[in-house]
């Protein structure tokens, strides 16, 4: 299986791999830092609702990553 | 009867009687100089058994407060409490676990209150509990996914390197847990396991109680690590692994059952506030607060037969030092006013200082700095001081000057993970944008480390923090002299004490290309913004001066620039994009001399990020320029308020996403993009 882009919000994309959902985004400020992280189906739906929902998902995701000891601002995916 | 009035009358009667109790001979020779002898005599008085440990809301506390007020009056201070009196009285709700009518068992084993488990009673404490109990290691999110309805035992502190910034309590509540028991304070190198605490009690200002009420039943407490062995059979392995930050096992502990009875009463306790008026009218709005806390743990579980937690070094000795400062300056005011603040309720949650900030008897806008004294510990020669808040404000510069003149070395807090800056009465004032500092004796050799550890294990928050503590009298004298000199230096300083922007040094050797530094509106500061969680931070316009905002905006009047490894593929940014001023890009590129590595260093980018042929993306007409609020989803741990990169100090802004027709791409060093 490969990750398929389900929704491209022109800067943030929601991807699907079977039943698993992912969000692809630039987590960097002055420096580009592309990431792909797993999200729930509910979060995927929220992210696909538009930029406001996508940012809400990214905030929650960042908190989860920090809690897991992962730097959410460092790249983990190719550009 | 108003408590303040009662205390004022009691003060004069109590002081004479209690002076008799302070004459017990010291086991050693005692202080050699008169000033230290006078300081220690008052320390003896305030921490004698007659004060019963000065628990918040207790008669013993009130007696001690009356003595302090009397000393302040004798020193000629002006009363600075409520209504022109010495006291600022707080009404508290006092919740106490009724141990005789309560029980808690885990896995069929009854846990003894204040020996094996200490509960923190609250309005949410359930009257009864039946739940599965489970040990979930550090209680990271991955470890607590399935704890709904369970009583969760967690290793005492999240290992800093593994769970940075983790809000465990909220995560457990969000996961639907029935409660949380933390294994008491394991794992921090400077903070060895200690037990027991005084007792299971929560004290909260009534005014705050209504805010705190509500929510699902929740049991919270601390578990003695010794009882881990009974519950898990693998306590040694857990404590050893936890101290090393290694993986911890999941252990099911059986059923937890409990009947919990919480008694409620309303009580009162008072801050004691005095003012040494300043001599320079032009500096009257720059008062210096010197602070210490009078409350202790009162009476509690006996240790070696002693049930009075005297709190001699924590913090009677430093209330006594404030009183000595007042006596020394009788009739000899300094240029700035000095407010002597003796706080109550520190051990219960910094309540006295929080109350003072919320209900200031002197407007906070007229307070320039706070110097706080809390369990300073003169147990060995004073060679090195750990200073909290050393780099945050120009008060730190004064600390360095005064310490250097006295041959005392100074270091920043070597154990930031213990968060000591936020754990004493300086913190509520600092949160309210008053620059502040506090100190502890630092260890520097095996002997000092052994004395510190012994004090921490056997005396800190124990009955043995009493007059039997082996004081190094020369060290005590040296510190007291340092504190007095520092307060005098702060009160007489030629310039206003100011916050340092960036709250920490900028990167060594950073080239800033501008002299612009963030300027804050009165009563606003960087620390308060940084303490606000991401997502809730205020807009920059609400705390930066208009002049600063205008100067910052002027840097972007001719456009904005991004420096990237390659040309953008389309629109730049999602909800916003981060940019630099063209002037800074020009200067950095010129200074880099064709070397991408130098350019990365100048701009604070990762080494190698720009590759060999970086591009410059010019945005001639940026839309919706603003100083970043820190709520942007890409605002990371390096974000600082004020629109400057940190640690580099370069001006930065965010603008709306830029469409392809809104930017021009050129090679940075003349090579084709």
């Amino acid at each position: 299986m490969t990750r398929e882009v389900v929704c491209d919000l022109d800067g943030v994309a929601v991807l699907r791999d079977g039943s698993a959902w992912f969000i692809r985004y630039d987590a960097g400020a002055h420096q580009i830092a592309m990431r792909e992280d797993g999200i729930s189906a509910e979060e995927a739906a929220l992210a696909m609702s538009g930029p406001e929902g996508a940012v809400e998902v990214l905030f929650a995701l960042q908190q989860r990553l920090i809690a897991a000891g992962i730097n959410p601002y460092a790249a983990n995916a190719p550009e | 009867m108003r408590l303040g009035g009662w205390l004022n009358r009691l003060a004069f009667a109590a002081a004479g009687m209690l002076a008799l109790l302070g004459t017990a001979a010291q086991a050693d020779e005692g202080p050699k100089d008169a000033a230290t002898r006078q300081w220690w005599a008052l320390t003896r008085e305030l921490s004698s058994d007659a004060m019963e440990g000065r628990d918040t809301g207790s008669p013993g506390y009130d007696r001690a407060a009356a003595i302090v007020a009397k000393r302040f009056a004798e020193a000629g201070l002006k009363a600075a409490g409520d209504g022109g009196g010495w006291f600022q009285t707080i009404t508290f709700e006092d919740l106490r676990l009724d141990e005789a009518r309560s029980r808690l068992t885990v896995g069929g084993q009854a846990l003894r209150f204040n020996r094996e488990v200490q509960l923190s009673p609250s309005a949410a404490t359930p009257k009864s509990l039946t739940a599965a109990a489970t040990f979930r290691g550090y209680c990271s999110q991955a470890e607590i996914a399935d704890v709904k309805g369970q009583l969760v035992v967690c290793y005492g502190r999240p290992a800093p390197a593994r769970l940075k910034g983790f809000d465990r309590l909220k995560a457990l509540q969000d996961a639907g847990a029935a409660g949380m028991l933390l294994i008491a304070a394991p794992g921090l190198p400077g903070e060895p396991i200690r037990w027991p605490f005084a007792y299971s009690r929560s004290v909260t200002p009534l005014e705050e109680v209504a805010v705190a009420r509500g929510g699902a039943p929740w049991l919270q407490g601390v578990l003695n690590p010794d009882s881990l062995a009974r519950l898990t059979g693998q306590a040694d392995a857990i404590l050893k692994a936890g101290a090393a930050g290694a993986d911890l096992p999941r252990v099911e502990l059986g059923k937890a059952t409990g009947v919990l009875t919480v008694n409620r009463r309303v009580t009162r306790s008072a801050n004691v506030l005095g003012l040494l008026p300043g001599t320079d009218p032009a500096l009257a709005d720059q008062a210096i607060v010197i602070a210490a806390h009078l409350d202790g743990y009162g009476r509690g579980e006996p240790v070696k037969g002693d049930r009075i937690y005297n709190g001699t070094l924590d913090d009677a000795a430093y209330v006594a030092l404030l009183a000595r400062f007042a006596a020394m300056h009788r009739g000899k005011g300094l240029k700035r006013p000095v407010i002597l603040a003796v706080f109550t309720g520190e051990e219960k949650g910094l309540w006295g200082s929080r109350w003072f900030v919320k209900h200031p008897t002197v407007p906070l806008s007229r307070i320039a700095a706070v110097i706080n004294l809390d369990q300073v510990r003169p147990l060995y020669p004073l060679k090195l001081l750990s200073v909290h808040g050393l780099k945050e404000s120009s008060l730190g510069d004064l600390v360095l000057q005064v310490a250097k003149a006295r041959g005392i070395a100074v270091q920043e807090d070597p154990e930031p993970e213990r968060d000591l800056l936020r754990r004493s009465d300086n913190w509520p004032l600092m949160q309210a944008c008053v620059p502040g500092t506090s100190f502890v004796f630092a260890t520097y050799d095996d002997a000092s480390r052994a004395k510190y550890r012994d004090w921490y294990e056997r005396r800190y928050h124990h009955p043995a923090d009493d007059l039997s503590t082996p004081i190094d009298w020369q060290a005590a004298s040296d510190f007291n002299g340092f504190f007095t000199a520092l307060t005098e230096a702060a009160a007489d300083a030629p310039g206003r004490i100011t916050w340092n922007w960036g709250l920490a040094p900028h990167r060594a050797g950073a080239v800033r290309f501008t002299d612009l530094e963030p300027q804050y509106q009165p009563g606003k500061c960087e620390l308060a913004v940084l303490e606000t969680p991401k997502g809730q931070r205020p807009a920059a316009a609400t705390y930066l001066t208009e002049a600063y905002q205008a100067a910052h905006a002027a840097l972007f009047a001719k456009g904005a620039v991004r420096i990237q490894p390659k040309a953008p593929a389309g629109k730049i940014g999602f909800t916003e994009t981060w940019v630099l001023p063209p002037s800074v890009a020009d200067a950095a590129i010129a200074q880099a001399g064709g070397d991408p590595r130098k350019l990365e260093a100048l701009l604070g980018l990762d080494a190698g990020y720009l590759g060999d042929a970086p591009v410059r993306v010019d945005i001639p007409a940026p839309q919706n320029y603003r100083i970043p609020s820190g709520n942007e989803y890409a605002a990371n741990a390096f974000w600082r308020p004020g629109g400057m990169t940190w640690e580099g100090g370069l001006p930065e802004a965010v603008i709306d996403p830029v469409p392809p027709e809104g930017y021009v791409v050129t090679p940075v060093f003349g090579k084709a993009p």
Side-chain angles (χ1 to χ4, degrees):
Chain A
M1 297 283 281
T2 55
R3 293 179 187 176
E4 165 199 2
V5 176
V6 177
C7 176
D8 189 344
L9 295 167
D10 199 8
V12 167
V14 176
L15 300 85
R16 185 173 189 170
D17 184 350
S19 60
W21 292 87
F22 299 87
I23 190 164
R24 177 177 169 80
Y25 59 106
D26 177 6
H30 293 283
Q31 189 165 314
I32 296 165
M34 295 308 298
R35 288 194 65 87
E36 275 186 27
D37 291 298
I39 55 174
S40 68
E42 292 75 18
E43 287 177 322
L46 180 58
M48 288 188 285
S49 69
E52 202 170 302
V55 169
E56 189 178 333
V57 170
L58 291 178
F59 265 63
L61 174 63
Q62 288 173 340
Q63 288 182 5
R64 282 205 300 278
L65 292 172
I66 290 170
I70 297 167
N71 179 0
Y73 306 104
N76 72 348
E79 271 193 61
Chain B
M1 180 187 300
R2 192 171 151 272
L3 182 65
W6 178 82
L7 283 169
N8 277 322
R9 279 192 287 282
L10 182 64
F12 298 92
M17 179 182 77
L18 292 168
L20 298 173
L21 299 170
T23 56
Q26 291 290 299
D28 58 20
E29 293 176 3
K32 292 185 175 53
D33 62 283
T36 310
R37 277 198 299 275
Q38 288 162 351
W39 163 68
W40 193 248
L42 182 54
T43 301
R44 274 204 309 260
E45 193 175 349
L46 293 174
S47 64
S48 71
D49 283 357
M51 301 301 156
E52 303 178 281
R54 305 181 312 281
D55 200 359
T56 300
S58 71
Y61 179 93
D62 291 346
R63 284 195 290 276
I67 292 168
V68 174
K70 180 173 185 294
R71 293 298 185 110
F72 282 4
E74 289 171 349
L77 297 186
K78 288 179 67 173
D82 289 335
W86 294 105
F87 303 105
Q88 182 182 39
T89 302
I90 308 166
T91 304
F92 289 99
E93 178 184 71
D94 184 334
L95 299 177
R96 191 179 305 234
L97 186 73
D98 186 337
E99 294 160 25
R101 296 196 292 150
S102 301
R103 62 179 168 77
L104 180 65
T105 65
V106 174
Q109 305 194 56
L111 296 174
R112 289 175 298 164
F113 294 118
N114 301 319
R115 290 288 176 182
E116 293 176 310
V117 67
Q118 181 215 345
L119 299 182
S120 304
S122 74
T125 301
K127 289 186 170 61
S128 64
L129 173 79
T130 303
T134 180
F135 173 72
R136 294 298 176 94
Y138 301 101
C139 291
S140 65
Q141 225 134 12
E143 293 167 302
I144 61 169
D146 57 345
V147 296
K148 188 169 184 180
Q150 298 188 46
L151 178 62
V152 185
V153 178
C154 306
Y155 183 82
R157 289 176 185 273
R162 295 166 62 100
L163 299 170
K164 208 170 182 179
F166 183 46
D167 187 352
R168 180 164 42 187
L169 172 65
K170 184 175 183 307
L172 281 166
Q173 289 177 330
D174 289 347
M180 172 178 75
L181 295 180
L182 294 179
I183 299 169
L188 286 177
E191 197 158 334
I193 294 165
R194 50 188 166 76
W195 190 270
F197 297 111
Y199 42 64
S200 303
R201 188 165 159 241
S202 298
V203 175
T204 311
L206 263 184
E207 178 176 295
E208 306 284 337
V209 169
V211 178
R213 280 205 200 290
W218 177 254
L219 181 67
Q220 187 166 328
V222 182
L223 193 67
N224 186 338
D226 291 345
S227 61
L228 258 190
R230 281 215 296 147
L231 298 181
T232 69
Q234 45 186 303
D236 287 349
I238 288 172
L239 293 175
K240 194 173 172 186
D247 289 343
L248 291 173
R250 167 176 170 166
V251 185
E252 301 307 334
L253 304 175
K255 189 162 81 172
T257 61
V259 173
L260 302 159
T261 304
V262 175
N263 293 333
R264 177 183 185 273
R265 72 181 180 123
V266 172
T267 186
R268 283 185 288 276
S269 191
N271 295 330
V272 188
L273 300 168
L275 172 70
L276 177 65
T279 58
D280 185 344
L283 301 176
D285 63 346
Q286 296 180 37
I288 307 297
V289 172
I290 53 177
H293 72 89
L294 185 59
D295 65 298
Y297 273 87
R299 291 174 177 272
E301 282 293 304
V303 178
K304 295 180 180 175
D306 186 358
R307 60 168 61 243
I308 297 179
Y309 288 58
N310 301 81
T312 295
L313 286 187
D314 182 17
D315 197 27
Y318 294 97
V319 171
L321 186 53
L322 298 191
R324 284 301 309 150
F325 180 90
M328 287 170 60
H329 291 84
R330 180 182 172 84
K332 292 180 284 189
L334 302 163
K335 288 182 181 172
R336 291 177 177 79
V338 179
I339 298 168
L340 291 84
V342 174
F343 291 124
T344 187
E346 193 268 357
E347 303 286 11
K348 303 293 188 285
L350 314 183
W351 287 126
S353 50
R354 290 183 198 281
W355 188 269
F356 177 77
V357 166
K358 203 169 173 184
H359 306 276
T361 56
V362 174
L364 294 178
S365 61
R366 298 175 71 84
I367 297 176
V370 55
I371 302 170
N372 185 50
L373 299 172
D374 191 4
Q375 49 133 340
V376 177
R377 303 189 303 257
L379 305 171
Y380 40 83
L382 177 54
K383 297 180 181 177
L384 180 62
L385 266 183
S386 288
V387 181
H388 308 124
L390 182 64
K391 295 290 174 66
E392 278 80 351
S393 75
S394 59
L395 190 56
D397 301 333
L398 290 177
V399 170
L400 288 168
Q401 288 167 23
V402 173
K404 186 177 180 185
R406 292 171 168 261
I408 303 166
V410 162
Q411 66 178 11
E412 287 186 83
D413 183 0
E415 301 166 298
E417 66 275 17
R418 294 176 67 197
D419 214 11
L420 294 178
L421 179 69
R422 292 169 172 78
R423 285 168 57 178
S424 194
D425 286 322
N426 51 283
W427 184 243
L429 283 126
M430 292 177 76
Q431 283 181 301
C433 293
V434 176
T437 190
S438 63
F439 327 88
V440 290
F441 273 53
T443 58
Y444 45 81
D445 59 13
D446 288 345
S448 61
R449 280 187 282 277
K451 287 181 178 178
Y452 164 69
R453 193 170 180 87
D454 176 71
W455 186 84
Y456 207 100
E457 288 179 341
R458 294 198 308 113
R459 297 182 186 274
Y460 176 57
H461 289 179
H462 278 56
D465 178 12
D466 62 11
L467 296 167
S468 70
T469 302
I471 303 293
D472 181 320
W473 298 111
Q474 185 58 52
S477 173
D478 290 345
F479 178 81
N480 294 354
F482 161 80
F483 166 74
T484 301
L486 174 64
T487 304
E488 290 170 347
D492 287 343
R496 178 182 280 272
I497 291 169
T498 55
W499 289 98
N500 294 331
W501 74 275
L503 290 185
H506 295 276
R507 191 175 62 241
V511 181
R512 297 197 49 236
F513 305 111
T514 173
D515 293 330
L516 194 62
E517 294 188 359
Q519 302 295 320
Y520 286 79
Q521 297 171 18
K524 309 285 186 178
C525 63
E526 181 178 321
L527 181 141
V529 180
L530 269 180
E531 285 295 310
T532 307
K534 180 176 171 179
Q536 301 169 31
R537 290 170 177 152
T542 66
Y543 53 81
L544 296 169
T545 63
E546 287 186 9
Y548 174 76
Q549 292 178 59
H552 190 278
L555 292 168
F556 293 87
K558 293 182 179 173
V561 174
R562 283 180 62 87
I563 306 290
Q564 301 189 170
K566 60 183 184 182
K571 185 186 80 170
I572 308 173
F574 181 53
T575 46
E576 65 272 321
T577 191
W578 297 68
V579 291
L580 300 170
S583 58
V584 168
D586 294 344
I589 290 168
Q591 192 156 335
D595 184 345
R597 304 293 84 77
K598 280 188 184 171
L599 184 59
E600 288 156 356
L602 288 164
L603 298 179
L605 302 171
D606 290 348
Y609 166 71
L610 290 176
D612 294 329
V615 298
R616 169 183 175 134
V617 182
D618 273 278
I619 303 149
Q623 300 297 302
N624 196 17
Y625 147 91
R626 62 248 187 225
I627 292 175
S629 68
N631 294 325
E632 298 79 11
Y633 72 85
N636 60 24
F638 289 96
W639 174 83
R640 292 292 182 275
M644 292 283 174
T645 64
W646 186 78
E647 303 162 304
L650 303 180
E652 65 177 356
V654 288
I655 58 174
D656 281 354
V658 189
E661 62 272 21
Y663 59 80
V664 178
V665 182
T666 54
V668 165
F669 298 125
K671 298 173 189 170

